Amino acid sequence: EAETLADAINRQLRTTFLGTGVHTEVTSSGAVRRLADRASHALLRITQEASTNALKHGSPTRFTARLQYGASRVTLRLADDGQGFDPK
């Protein structure tokens, strides 16, 4: 509870990619504020799922999470440099 959402995401990514050689980066911009627990948990779970899928299927060397706090919303952008997939 004492850590920020960015800290929790950073911890999650370090745990997911521990020992894999994948470089992780978490950044935050805007006026950081505490979100409702439900929203924070959802964003953390989305990060967990996306990073696990990237590791499982994409062979990334880099994974980034960008939190942007706006006046009325928070945006989370997750990206990796993995191989992607063919939707067909």
Side-chain angles (χ1 to χ4, degrees):
E1 286 189 23
E3 68 184 350
T4 66
L5 179 56
D7 291 337
I9 288 172
N10 192 35
R11 182 175 35 83
Q12 176 64 50
L13 294 180
R14 282 195 322 257
T15 300
T16 299
F17 293 112
L18 182 67
T20 66
V22 175
H23 174 74
T24 62
E25 181 182 1
V26 178
T27 60
S28 176
S29 62
V32 176
R33 64 186 177 280
R34 183 167 173 80
L35 303 177
D37 287 344
R38 184 175 177 176
S40 293
H41 291 145
L43 292 173
L44 192 56
R45 181 69 178 108
I46 290 165
T47 301
Q48 181 182 30
E49 188 67 21
S51 60
T52 299
N53 284 341
L55 187 59
K56 231 185 218 181
H57 305 292
S59 302
T61 61
R62 184 174 191 79
F63 191 97
T64 59
R66 309 239 185 274
L67 276 168
Q68 183 176 13
Y69 290 85
S72 62
R73 67 176 166 202
V74 174
T75 304
L76 173 63
R77 296 185 198 289
L78 303 170
D80 68 80
D81 66 353
Q83 62 191 4
F85 65 95
D86 182 355
K88 293 181 183 183

Coordinates of all heavy atoms in Angstrom, one line a residue:
E1 N 0.8 -1.2 0.0 CA 0.0 0.0 0.0 C 0.8 1.3 0.0 O 0.4 2.3 -0.5 CB -0.9 0.0 1.2 CG -2.1 -0.9 1.1 CD -3.1 -0.8 2.2 OE1 -3.2 0.3 2.8 OE2 -3.8 -1.7 2.4
A2 N 2.0 1.2 0.5 CA 2.9 2.4 0.6 C 3.5 2.7 -0.7 O 3.9 3.9 -0.9 CB 3.9 2.2 1.7
E3 N 3.6 1.8 -1.6 CA 4.3 2.0 -2.8 C 3.4 2.6 -3.9 O 2.2 2.4 -3.8 CB 5.0 0.8 -3.4 CG 4.1 -0.3 -3.8 CD 4.9 -1.6 -4.2 OE1 6.1 -1.5 -4.4 OE2 4.2 -2.6 -4.4
T4 N 3.9 3.3 -4.8 CA 3.1 3.9 -5.9 C 2.8 2.8 -6.9 O 3.4 1.7 -6.9 CB 3.9 5.0 -6.7 OG1 5.0 4.4 -7.3 CG2 4.4 6.1 -5.7
L5 N 1.9 3.1 -7.8 CA 1.5 2.1 -8.9 C 2.8 1.8 -9.7 O 3.0 0.7 -10.1 CB 0.4 2.6 -9.7 CG -0.1 1.7 -10.9 CD1 -0.5 0.3 -10.4 CD2 -1.2 2.4 -11.6
A6 N 3.5 2.9 -10.1 CA 4.8 2.7 -10.9 C 5.7 1.7 -10.1 O 6.4 0.9 -10.8 CB 5.4 4.0 -11.2
D7 N 5.9 1.9 -8.8 CA 6.7 1.0 -8.0 C 6.2 -0.4 -8.1 O 7.0 -1.4 -8.3 CB 6.8 1.4 -6.6 CG 7.5 2.7 -6.4 OD1 8.4 3.1 -7.2 OD2 7.3 3.4 -5.3
A8 N 4.9 -0.6 -8.0 CA 4.3 -2.0 -8.0 C 4.5 -2.6 -9.4 O 4.9 -3.8 -9.5 CB 2.9 -1.9 -7.7
I9 N 4.4 -1.8 -10.5 CA 4.6 -2.3 -11.8 C 6.0 -2.7 -12.0 O 6.4 -3.7 -12.6 CB 4.1 -1.3 -12.8 CG1 2.6 -1.3 -12.8 CG2 4.6 -1.6 -14.2 CD1 2.0 -0.2 -13.7
N10 N 6.9 -1.8 -11.5 CA 8.4 -2.1 -11.6 C 8.7 -3.4 -10.9 O 9.5 -4.3 -11.4 CB 9.2 -0.9 -11.0 CG 10.6 -1.0 -11.4 OD1 11.0 -1.5 -12.5 ND2 11.5 -0.6 -10.5
R11 N 8.2 -3.6 -9.7 CA 8.4 -4.8 -9.0 C 7.9 -6.1 -9.7 O 8.5 -7.1 -9.8 CB 7.8 -4.7 -7.6 CG 8.0 -6.0 -6.7 CD 7.5 -5.8 -5.3 NE 6.3 -5.0 -5.1 CZ 5.0 -5.5 -5.3 NH1 4.9 -6.8 -5.7 NH2 4.0 -4.7 -5.1
Q12 N 6.7 -5.9 -10.3 CA 6.1 -7.0 -11.1 C 7.0 -7.4 -12.3 O 7.2 -8.6 -12.5 CB 4.7 -6.6 -11.6 CG 4.0 -7.6 -12.4 CD 3.8 -8.9 -11.7 OE1 3.2 -8.9 -10.6 NE2 4.2 -10.0 -12.3
L13 N 7.4 -6.4 -13.0 CA 8.3 -6.7 -14.2 C 9.6 -7.3 -13.8 O 10.1 -8.2 -14.5 CB 8.5 -5.4 -15.0 CG 7.2 -4.8 -15.6 CD1 7.6 -3.5 -16.4 CD2 6.6 -5.8 -16.5
R14 N 10.2 -6.8 -12.7 CA 11.5 -7.4 -12.3 C 11.3 -8.9 -11.9 O 12.1 -9.7 -12.2 CB 12.0 -6.6 -11.1 CG 12.7 -5.3 -11.4 CD 13.6 -4.8 -10.3 NE 12.9 -5.0 -9.0 CZ 12.3 -4.0 -8.2 NH1 12.2 -2.8 -8.7 NH2 11.8 -4.3 -7.1
T15 N 10.2 -9.2 -11.3 CA 9.9 -10.6 -10.9 C 9.7 -11.4 -12.2 O 10.2 -12.5 -12.3 CB 8.6 -10.6 -10.0 OG1 8.9 -9.9 -8.8 CG2 8.3 -12.1 -9.6
T16 N 8.9 -10.9 -13.1 CA 8.5 -11.7 -14.3 C 9.8 -11.9 -15.1 O 9.9 -13.0 -15.6 CB 7.5 -10.9 -15.2 OG1 6.3 -10.7 -14.4 CG2 7.2 -11.6 -16.4
F17 N 10.6 -10.9 -15.3 CA 11.8 -11.1 -16.2 C 13.1 -11.4 -15.5 O 14.1 -11.4 -16.1 CB 11.9 -9.8 -17.0 CG 10.8 -9.5 -17.9 CD1 9.9 -8.5 -17.8 CD2 10.6 -10.4 -19.0 CE1 8.9 -8.3 -18.6 CE2 9.6 -10.2 -19.9 CZ 8.7 -9.1 -19.7
L18 N 13.0 -11.8 -14.2 CA 14.2 -12.1 -13.4 C 15.0 -13.3 -14.1 O 14.4 -14.3 -14.4 CB 13.8 -12.6 -12.0 CG 14.9 -12.9 -11.1 CD1 15.8 -11.7 -10.8 CD2 14.4 -13.5 -9.8
G19 N 16.2 -13.0 -14.4 CA 17.1 -14.1 -14.9 C 16.9 -14.3 -16.4 O 17.6 -15.2 -17.0
T20 N 16.1 -13.4 -17.1 CA 15.9 -13.6 -18.5 C 16.8 -12.7 -19.4 O 16.9 -13.0 -20.6 CB 14.4 -13.3 -18.9 OG1 14.2 -11.9 -18.7 CG2 13.5 -14.2 -18.1
G21 N 17.4 -11.7 -18.8 CA 18.2 -10.7 -19.6 C 17.3 -9.7 -20.3 O 17.8 -8.8 -20.9
V22 N 16.0 -9.7 -20.1 CA 15.1 -8.7 -20.6 C 15.3 -7.4 -19.8 O 15.1 -7.4 -18.6 CB 13.6 -9.1 -20.6 CG1 12.7 -8.0 -21.1 CG2 13.5 -10.4 -21.5
H23 N 15.6 -6.3 -20.5 CA 15.7 -5.0 -19.8 C 14.3 -4.4 -19.7 O 13.5 -4.4 -20.6 CB 16.5 -4.0 -20.7 CG 16.6 -2.7 -20.1 ND1 17.3 -2.3 -19.0 CD2 16.0 -1.5 -20.6 CE1 17.2 -1.0 -18.8 NE2 16.3 -0.5 -19.7
T24 N 14.0 -3.9 -18.5 CA 12.7 -3.3 -18.2 C 12.8 -1.9 -17.8 O 13.8 -1.5 -17.3 CB 11.9 -4.1 -17.1 OG1 12.6 -4.0 -15.9 CG2 11.7 -5.5 -17.5
E25 N 11.8 -1.1 -18.2 CA 11.8 0.3 -17.8 C 10.4 0.7 -17.5 O 9.4 0.4 -18.2 CB 12.3 1.1 -19.0 CG 12.4 2.6 -18.7 CD 12.9 3.4 -19.9 OE1 13.2 2.8 -21.0 OE2 13.0 4.6 -19.8
V26 N 10.2 1.5 -16.4 CA 8.9 2.0 -16.0 C 9.1 3.5 -15.8 O 10.0 3.9 -15.1 CB 8.4 1.3 -14.7 CG1 7.1 1.9 -14.3 CG2 8.3 -0.2 -14.8
T27 N 8.2 4.3 -16.5 CA 8.2 5.7 -16.3 C 6.8 6.2 -16.0 O 5.8 5.5 -16.3 CB 8.7 6.4 -17.6 OG1 7.9 6.1 -18.7 CG2 10.2 6.1 -17.9
S28 N 6.8 7.3 -15.3 CA 5.5 7.9 -14.9 C 5.6 9.4 -15.2 O 6.6 10.0 -14.9 CB 5.3 7.6 -13.4 OG 4.2 8.2 -12.9
S29 N 4.5 10.0 -15.7 CA 4.5 11.4 -15.9 C 3.1 12.0 -15.5 O 2.1 11.2 -15.3 CB 4.7 11.7 -17.4 OG 3.7 11.2 -18.2
G30 N 3.1 13.2 -15.2 CA 1.8 13.9 -14.7 C 1.8 13.9 -13.2 O 2.8 13.4 -12.6
A31 N 0.7 14.4 -12.7 CA 0.6 14.5 -11.2 C 0.1 13.1 -10.7 O -1.0 12.8 -10.8 CB -0.5 15.6 -10.9
V32 N 1.1 12.4 -10.1 CA 0.8 11.1 -9.6 C -0.2 11.2 -8.4 O 0.0 12.0 -7.5 CB 2.2 10.4 -9.1 CG1 1.9 9.1 -8.4 CG2 3.1 10.3 -10.2
R33 N -1.2 10.3 -8.5 CA -2.1 10.3 -7.4 C -2.5 8.8 -7.1 O -2.3 8.0 -8.0 CB -3.4 11.1 -7.7 CG -4.1 10.6 -8.9 CD -5.2 11.5 -9.3 NE -6.0 11.1 -10.5 CZ -5.6 11.3 -11.7 NH1 -4.4 11.9 -12.0 NH2 -6.3 10.9 -12.7
R34 N -3.0 8.6 -6.0 CA -3.5 7.2 -5.6 C -4.8 6.9 -6.3 O -5.7 7.8 -6.3 CB -3.7 7.1 -4.1 CG -4.1 5.8 -3.7 CD -3.9 5.6 -2.1 NE -4.5 4.4 -1.7 CZ -3.8 3.2 -1.7 NH1 -2.6 3.2 -2.2 NH2 -4.4 2.1 -1.3
L35 N -4.9 5.8 -6.9 CA -6.1 5.4 -7.6 C -6.9 4.5 -6.7 O -6.4 4.0 -5.7 CB -5.7 4.6 -8.9 CG -4.8 5.3 -9.9 CD1 -4.5 4.3 -11.1 CD2 -5.5 6.5 -10.4
A36 N -8.1 4.3 -7.1 CA -8.9 3.3 -6.4 C -8.3 1.9 -6.5 O -7.6 1.6 -7.5 CB -10.3 3.2 -7.0
D37 N -8.4 1.2 -5.4 CA -7.7 -0.1 -5.3 C -8.1 -1.0 -6.6 O -7.2 -1.7 -7.1 CB -8.0 -0.9 -4.1 CG -7.3 -0.3 -2.8 OD1 -6.4 0.4 -3.0 OD2 -7.7 -0.7 -1.7
R38 N -9.3 -1.0 -6.9 CA -9.8 -1.8 -8.1 C -9.1 -1.4 -9.4 O -8.7 -2.2 -10.1 CB -11.3 -1.6 -8.2 CG -11.9 -2.4 -9.3 CD -13.4 -2.3 -9.3 NE -14.0 -3.1 -10.4 CZ -15.2 -3.2 -10.6 NH1 -16.1 -2.6 -9.8 NH2 -15.6 -3.9 -11.6
A39 N -8.9 -0.1 -9.6 CA -8.2 0.4 -10.8 C -6.7 0.0 -10.7 O -6.2 -0.5 -11.7 CB -8.3 1.9 -10.9
S40 N -6.1 0.2 -9.6 CA -4.6 -0.2 -9.5 C -4.4 -1.7 -9.7 O -3.5 -2.1 -10.4 CB -4.1 0.2 -8.1 OG -4.1 1.6 -7.9
H41 N -5.3 -2.5 -9.1 CA -5.2 -3.9 -9.2 C -5.4 -4.3 -10.7 O -4.7 -5.2 -11.2 CB -6.1 -4.7 -8.3 CG -5.8 -4.5 -6.9 ND1 -6.7 -4.5 -5.9 CD2 -4.6 -4.4 -6.2 CE1 -6.1 -4.3 -4.7 NE2 -4.8 -4.3 -4.9
A42 N -6.3 -3.7 -11.4 CA -6.6 -4.0 -12.8 C -5.4 -3.7 -13.6 O -4.9 -4.5 -14.5 CB -7.8 -3.3 -13.3
L43 N -4.8 -2.5 -13.4 CA -3.6 -2.1 -14.2 C -2.4 -3.0 -13.9 O -1.7 -3.4 -14.8 CB -3.3 -0.7 -14.0 CG -4.3 0.3 -14.5 CD1 -4.0 1.7 -14.0 CD2 -4.4 0.3 -16.0
L44 N -2.3 -3.4 -12.7 CA -1.2 -4.3 -12.3 C -1.4 -5.7 -12.9 O -0.5 -6.3 -13.5 CB -1.1 -4.4 -10.8 CG 0.2 -5.1 -10.2 CD1 1.4 -4.4 -10.7 CD2 0.1 -5.1 -8.7
R45 N -2.6 -6.2 -12.9 CA -2.9 -7.5 -13.5 C -2.7 -7.5 -15.0 O -2.2 -8.4 -15.6 CB -4.4 -7.9 -13.2 CG -4.8 -9.2 -13.7 CD -4.0 -10.3 -13.0 NE -4.5 -11.6 -13.5 CZ -3.8 -12.4 -14.3 NH1 -2.6 -12.1 -14.6 NH2 -4.3 -13.5 -14.7
I46 N -3.1 -6.4 -15.7 CA -2.9 -6.2 -17.1 C -1.4 -6.2 -17.4 O -0.9 -6.9 -18.4 CB -3.5 -4.9 -17.6 CG1 -5.0 -5.0 -17.6 CG2 -3.0 -4.5 -19.0 CD1 -5.8 -3.7 -17.7
T47 N -0.6 -5.6 -16.6 CA 0.9 -5.6 -16.8 C 1.4 -7.0 -16.6 O 2.2 -7.4 -17.4 CB 1.5 -4.6 -15.8 OG1 1.0 -3.3 -16.0 CG2 3.0 -4.6 -15.9
Q48 N 0.9 -7.7 -15.6 CA 1.4 -9.1 -15.4 C 1.1 -10.0 -16.6 O 1.9 -10.7 -17.1 CB 0.7 -9.6 -14.1 CG 1.1 -11.0 -13.8 CD 0.4 -11.5 -12.5 OE1 -0.8 -11.1 -12.3 NE2 1.0 -12.4 -11.8
E49 N -0.1 -9.9 -17.1 CA -0.5 -10.7 -18.2 C 0.2 -10.4 -19.5 O 0.7 -11.2 -20.2 CB -2.0 -10.6 -18.5 CG -2.6 -11.5 -19.5 CD -2.6 -13.0 -19.0 OE1 -2.5 -13.2 -17.8 OE2 -2.6 -13.9 -19.9
A50 N 0.4 -9.1 -19.8 CA 1.1 -8.6 -21.0 C 2.6 -9.0 -20.9 O 3.2 -9.5 -21.9 CB 1.0 -7.1 -21.2
S51 N 3.2 -8.9 -19.8 CA 4.6 -9.2 -19.6 C 4.8 -10.7 -19.7 O 5.8 -11.2 -20.3 CB 5.2 -8.6 -18.4 OG 4.6 -9.1 -17.2
T52 N 3.9 -11.5 -19.1 CA 4.0 -13.0 -19.2 C 3.9 -13.4 -20.6 O 4.6 -14.3 -21.1 CB 3.0 -13.6 -18.3 OG1 3.2 -13.2 -16.9 CG2 3.0 -15.1 -18.4
N53 N 2.9 -12.9 -21.3 CA 2.7 -13.2 -22.7 C 3.9 -12.9 -23.6 O 4.3 -13.6 -24.5 CB 1.4 -12.6 -23.3 CG 0.2 -13.3 -22.8 OD1 0.2 -14.4 -22.3 ND2 -1.0 -12.6 -22.9
A54 N 4.4 -11.7 -23.4 CA 5.6 -11.3 -24.1 C 6.7 -12.2 -23.9 O 7.4 -12.6 -24.9 CB 6.0 -9.8 -23.7
L55 N 7.0 -12.6 -22.7 CA 8.1 -13.5 -22.4 C 7.8 -14.9 -23.0 O 8.7 -15.5 -23.6 CB 8.2 -13.6 -20.9 CG 9.4 -14.4 -20.4 CD1 10.7 -13.8 -20.9 CD2 9.4 -14.4 -18.8
K56 N 6.6 -15.4 -22.9 CA 6.2 -16.7 -23.4 C 6.3 -16.8 -24.9 O 6.7 -17.8 -25.4 CB 4.8 -17.0 -22.9 CG 4.6 -18.3 -22.3 CD 3.1 -18.4 -22.0 CE 2.8 -19.1 -20.7 NZ 1.4 -19.3 -20.5
H57 N 5.8 -15.8 -25.6 CA 5.6 -15.9 -27.0 C 6.4 -14.9 -27.9 O 6.5 -15.2 -29.1 CB 4.1 -15.6 -27.3 CG 3.2 -16.5 -26.6 ND1 3.1 -17.8 -26.8 CD2 2.3 -16.2 -25.6 CE1 2.2 -18.3 -26.0 NE2 1.7 -17.3 -25.2
G58 N 7.0 -13.9 -27.3 CA 7.7 -12.9 -28.1 C 9.2 -12.8 -28.1 O 9.8 -12.1 -28.9
S59 N 9.8 -13.5 -27.2 CA 11.3 -13.4 -27.0 C 11.8 -12.0 -27.0 O 12.7 -11.6 -27.8 CB 11.9 -14.2 -28.1 OG 11.5 -15.5 -28.1
P60 N 11.3 -11.1 -26.2 CA 11.7 -9.7 -26.2 C 13.1 -9.6 -25.5 O 13.5 -10.4 -24.7 CB 10.7 -9.0 -25.3 CG 10.2 -10.0 -24.4 CD 10.3 -11.3 -25.1
T61 N 13.7 -8.5 -25.8 CA 15.0 -8.1 -25.1 C 14.7 -6.8 -24.2 O 15.5 -6.5 -23.4 CB 16.1 -7.8 -26.0 OG1 15.8 -6.7 -26.9 CG2 16.5 -9.0 -26.9
R62 N 13.5 -6.2 -24.5 CA 13.1 -5.0 -23.8 C 11.6 -4.9 -23.6 O 10.9 -5.3 -24.4 CB 13.6 -3.8 -24.6 CG 13.4 -2.5 -24.1 CD 14.1 -1.4 -25.0 NE 14.1 -0.2 -24.4 CZ 15.0 0.2 -23.5 NH1 16.0 -0.6 -23.1 NH2 15.0 1.4 -22.9
F63 N 11.2 -4.5 -22.4 CA 9.8 -4.3 -22.1 C 9.7 -3.0 -21.3 O 10.4 -2.8 -20.3 CB 9.3 -5.5 -21.2 CG 7.8 -5.5 -21.0 CD1 7.1 -6.3 -21.9 CD2 7.2 -4.7 -20.1 CE1 5.7 -6.4 -21.7 CE2 5.8 -4.8 -20.0 CZ 5.0 -5.6 -20.8
T64 N 8.7 -2.1 -21.8 CA 8.5 -0.8 -21.1 C 7.1 -0.6 -20.7 O 6.2 -1.2 -21.3 CB 8.9 0.3 -22.1 OG1 8.1 0.3 -23.2 CG2 10.4 0.3 -22.5
A65 N 6.9 0.1 -19.6 CA 5.6 0.5 -19.1 C 5.7 2.0 -18.8 O 6.6 2.5 -18.2 CB 5.3 -0.3 -17.8
R66 N 4.7 2.7 -19.4 CA 4.6 4.1 -19.3 C 3.2 4.5 -18.7 O 2.2 4.2 -19.3 CB 4.8 4.8 -20.6 CG 6.0 4.3 -21.4 CD 6.9 5.4 -21.7 NE 8.0 5.0 -22.6 CZ 9.2 4.5 -22.1 NH1 9.3 4.4 -20.8 NH2 10.1 4.2 -22.9
L67 N 3.3 5.1 -17.5 CA 2.1 5.6 -16.8 C 2.0 7.1 -17.1 O 2.9 7.8 -16.9 CB 2.1 5.3 -15.3 CG 1.7 4.0 -14.8 CD1 2.2 3.9 -13.4 CD2 0.3 3.8 -14.9
Q68 N 0.8 7.5 -17.5 CA 0.6 9.0 -17.7 C -0.7 9.4 -17.0 O -1.7 8.9 -17.2 CB 0.5 9.3 -19.2 CG 0.3 10.8 -19.4 CD 0.3 11.1 -20.9 OE1 0.1 10.3 -21.8 NE2 0.4 12.4 -21.2
Y69 N -0.5 10.2 -16.0 CA -1.6 10.7 -15.2 C -2.1 12.0 -15.8 O -1.4 13.0 -15.9 CB -1.1 11.0 -13.7 CG -0.8 9.7 -13.0 CD1 0.5 9.1 -13.0 CD2 -1.8 9.2 -12.1 CE1 0.8 8.0 -12.3 CE2 -1.5 8.0 -11.4 CZ -0.2 7.4 -11.5 OH 0.1 6.3 -10.8
G70 N -3.4 12.0 -16.2 CA -4.0 13.2 -16.7 C -5.0 13.7 -15.7 O -5.1 13.1 -14.6
A71 N -5.7 14.8 -16.1 CA -6.6 15.4 -15.1 C -7.8 14.4 -14.8 O -8.2 14.4 -13.6 CB -7.2 16.7 -15.8
S72 N -8.2 13.6 -15.7 CA -9.4 12.8 -15.5 C -9.2 11.3 -15.8 O -10.1 10.5 -15.7 CB -10.6 13.3 -16.3 OG -10.3 13.2 -17.7
R73 N -7.9 10.9 -16.1 CA -7.7 9.5 -16.4 C -6.2 9.2 -16.3 O -5.4 10.1 -16.2 CB -8.2 9.1 -17.8 CG -7.4 9.8 -18.9 CD -7.8 9.3 -20.2 NE -7.3 10.2 -21.3 CZ -7.8 10.3 -22.5 NH1 -8.9 9.6 -22.8 NH2 -7.3 11.1 -23.3
V74 N -5.9 7.9 -16.2 CA -4.6 7.4 -16.2 C -4.4 6.5 -17.4 O -5.3 5.6 -17.6 CB -4.3 6.7 -14.9 CG1 -2.9 6.0 -14.9 CG2 -4.4 7.6 -13.7
T75 N -3.4 6.6 -18.1 CA -3.1 5.8 -19.3 C -1.9 4.9 -19.0 O -0.9 5.4 -18.5 CB -2.8 6.7 -20.5 OG1 -3.9 7.5 -20.7 CG2 -2.6 5.8 -21.8
L76 N -2.0 3.7 -19.3 CA -0.8 2.8 -19.2 C -0.5 2.2 -20.6 O -1.4 1.7 -21.2 CB -1.2 1.6 -18.2 CG -0.2 0.5 -18.1 CD1 1.1 0.9 -17.6 CD2 -0.7 -0.7 -17.3
R77 N 0.7 2.4 -21.0 CA 1.2 1.9 -22.3 C 2.3 0.9 -22.0 O 3.3 1.2 -21.4 CB 1.7 3.0 -23.1 CG 0.7 4.1 -23.5 CD 1.3 5.1 -24.5 NE 0.6 6.4 -24.6 CZ -0.6 6.5 -25.1 NH1 -1.2 5.5 -25.7 NH2 -1.2 7.7 -25.2
L78 N 2.0 -0.3 -22.5 CA 3.0 -1.4 -22.4 C 3.5 -1.7 -23.8 O 2.8 -1.8 -24.8 CB 2.3 -2.6 -21.8 CG 1.6 -2.4 -20.4 CD1 0.8 -3.6 -20.0 CD2 2.7 -2.1 -19.4
A79 N 4.8 -1.9 -23.9 CA 5.5 -2.3 -25.2 C 6.6 -3.2 -25.0 O 7.3 -3.2 -23.9 CB 5.9 -1.0 -25.9
D80 N 6.9 -4.0 -26.0 CA 8.1 -4.8 -26.0 C 8.6 -4.9 -27.4 O 7.9 -4.5 -28.3 CB 7.8 -6.2 -25.4 CG 6.9 -7.1 -26.3 OD1 7.4 -7.6 -27.3 OD2 5.7 -7.2 -26.1
D81 N 9.9 -5.4 -27.5 CA 10.5 -5.5 -28.9 C 10.5 -6.9 -29.3 O 11.4 -7.3 -30.1 CB 11.9 -4.8 -28.9 CG 12.8 -5.6 -28.0 OD1 12.4 -6.5 -27.3 OD2 14.0 -5.2 -28.0
G82 N 9.6 -7.7 -28.9 CA 9.6 -9.1 -29.3 C 9.2 -9.3 -30.7 O 8.9 -8.4 -31.4
Q83 N 9.1 -10.6 -31.1 CA 8.8 -10.9 -32.5 C 7.4 -10.8 -32.9 O 7.1 -10.8 -34.1 CB 9.3 -12.3 -32.8 CG 8.5 -13.4 -31.9 CD 9.2 -14.7 -32.0 OE1 10.3 -14.9 -32.6 NE2 8.6 -15.7 -31.4
G84 N 6.5 -10.6 -32.0 CA 5.1 -10.4 -32.4 C 4.5 -11.7 -32.8 O 5.0 -12.8 -32.6
F85 N 3.3 -11.6 -33.5 CA 2.7 -12.8 -34.0 C 1.9 -12.5 -35.2 O 1.5 -11.4 -35.5 CB 1.8 -13.4 -32.9 CG 0.6 -12.6 -32.5 CD1 -0.6 -12.8 -33.1 CD2 0.7 -11.6 -31.6 CE1 -1.7 -12.0 -32.8 CE2 -0.3 -10.7 -31.2 CZ -1.6 -10.9 -31.8
D86 N 1.6 -13.6 -36.0 CA 0.7 -13.5 -37.2 C -0.7 -13.8 -36.8 O -1.0 -14.9 -36.3 CB 1.2 -14.5 -38.2 CG 0.4 -14.4 -39.5 OD1 -0.6 -13.6 -39.6 OD2 0.8 -15.1 -40.4
P87 N -1.6 -12.8 -36.8 CA -3.0 -13.0 -36.4 C -3.7 -14.0 -37.2 O -4.8 -14.5 -36.8 CB -3.6 -11.6 -36.5 CG -2.8 -10.8 -37.4 CD -1.4 -11.4 -37.3
K88 N -3.2 -14.4 -38.4 CA -3.9 -15.5 -39.1 C -3.5 -16.8 -38.7 O -3.9 -17.8 -38.8 CB -3.6 -15.3 -40.6 CG -4.2 -14.0 -41.2 CD -3.8 -13.9 -42.6 CE -4.4 -12.6 -43.1 NZ -4.2 -12.4 -44.5

